[in-house]
Amino acid sequence: MNSTKEEFKKCRSCGVLKPIEEFYKKWRGKEVYSNECAECTKRRTKQQRERLKNDPQRLELHRSKAREKTKERRKNRSEEQKQKDLQNQYDFVARRRAWIEELKTDCVKCGETRKYLIHWHHVDPSQKEFALSSGCTKSKEKILQESKKCVCLCANCHTEFHHFYGINPIDAVECLKKYLQGDLPNES
């Protein structure tokens, strides 16, 4: 085996010469490795977590320093990186919106099938945590939980329901049942 200086590295913590594969790569560069082997890094990290867990003040100080570092790192990003990050955010939101659209069913009142006309209607507005139309940054689990509190109504049926029963009817569940059965109140 042909060993060169780059294939082995000495750990700064334990002082042992180890194969380069036993060191973590640094995130900022290509083929740049940590000065501490993975085993020592794991041990140090575990000890640090334990110390912080037992000292809430120190934990908060650690978190505030981490937030400051993150702010500084974000501030010093290149324009290219800022654009890339922004594009990643747009892509994430677009994928999440598309996924939310796939969750929609046909209108429960009239059977409309065109997804772009379907609205999420919370059966009981008092149970509403967020609007599914703007919940693109929520976890899929939270979105699924919220969607179980809703029925799908097309734009016309949704508007009609709120026209007859108001934005937040007192007995929302009962009003929705009546509406779906075709029992509309008299217009005054």
Side-chain angles (χ1 to χ4, degrees):
M1 182 171 149
N2 184 14
S3 60
T4 64
K5 192 176 183 179
E6 294 176 355
E7 290 180 358
F8 292 91
K9 190 170 182 166
K10 186 176 182 179
C11 174
R12 75 170 179 204
S13 294
C14 64
V16 178
L17 190 64
K18 296 184 176 186
I20 199 76
E21 296 84 30
E22 292 188 28
F23 292 81
Y24 289 121
K25 280 187 177 181
K26 289 186 178 177
W27 65 276
R28 288 188 185 253
K30 293 180 181 177
E31 301 303 315
V32 177
Y33 293 87
S34 173
N35 292 322
E36 188 176 55
C37 70
E39 191 178 316
C40 290
T41 301
K42 288 176 187 175
R43 184 174 37 252
R44 180 180 48 79
T45 304
K46 188 176 182 180
Q47 289 170 348
Q48 184 179 16
R49 270 196 215 113
E50 285 302 314
R51 278 196 312 270
L52 291 173
K53 194 170 146 183
N54 298 329
D55 188 353
Q57 272 185 319
R58 194 170 178 176
L59 176 63
E60 185 51 43
L61 179 66
H62 179 76
R63 286 180 175 161
S64 66
K65 283 182 181 178
R67 283 191 291 268
E68 288 302 316
K69 275 186 180 179
T70 301
K71 282 181 188 176
E72 193 64 32
R73 215 174 17 245
R74 283 187 177 155
K75 197 167 72 175
N76 294 331
R77 290 177 303 168
S78 67
E79 280 303 313
E80 183 180 328
Q81 186 59 46
K82 287 178 184 176
Q83 288 302 315
K84 188 177 177 181
D85 290 347
L86 194 60
Q87 188 59 50
N88 286 342
Q89 286 176 341
Y90 289 147
D91 292 346
F92 172 81
V93 169
R95 285 192 310 272
R96 189 55 54 93
R97 277 201 176 119
W99 180 74
I100 292 171
E101 283 292 307
E102 289 174 19
L103 294 175
K104 289 181 177 178
T105 61
D106 297 347
C107 176
V108 294
K109 173 77 169 153
C110 71
E112 176 62 65
T113 59
R114 294 175 288 177
K115 299 282 188 200
Y116 62 90
L117 291 176
I118 304 296
H119 293 184
W120 293 100
H121 174 76
H122 281 81
V123 175
D124 185 356
S126 67
Q127 299 296 314
K128 180 178 180 176
E129 290 180 38
F130 61 90
L132 284 164
S133 58
S134 61
C136 297
T137 57
K138 305 285 185 188
S139 72
K140 285 187 174 184
E141 184 181 315
K142 285 187 177 183
I143 291 170
L144 285 172
Q145 288 173 352
E146 197 67 21
S147 71
K148 290 176 183 171
K149 303 174 192 175
C150 300
V151 293
C152 289
L153 292 173
C154 70
N156 284 340
C157 292
H158 198 211
T159 302
E160 185 177 61
F161 172 81
H162 286 298
H163 171 76
F164 287 111
Y165 294 102
I167 298 299
N168 285 319
I170 294 170
D171 191 4
V173 178
E174 194 58 40
C175 291
L176 183 62
K177 282 180 187 174
K178 286 180 183 176
Y179 177 70
L180 293 177
Q181 292 169 355
D183 185 14
L184 298 176
N186 294 330
E187 268 193 280
S188 38

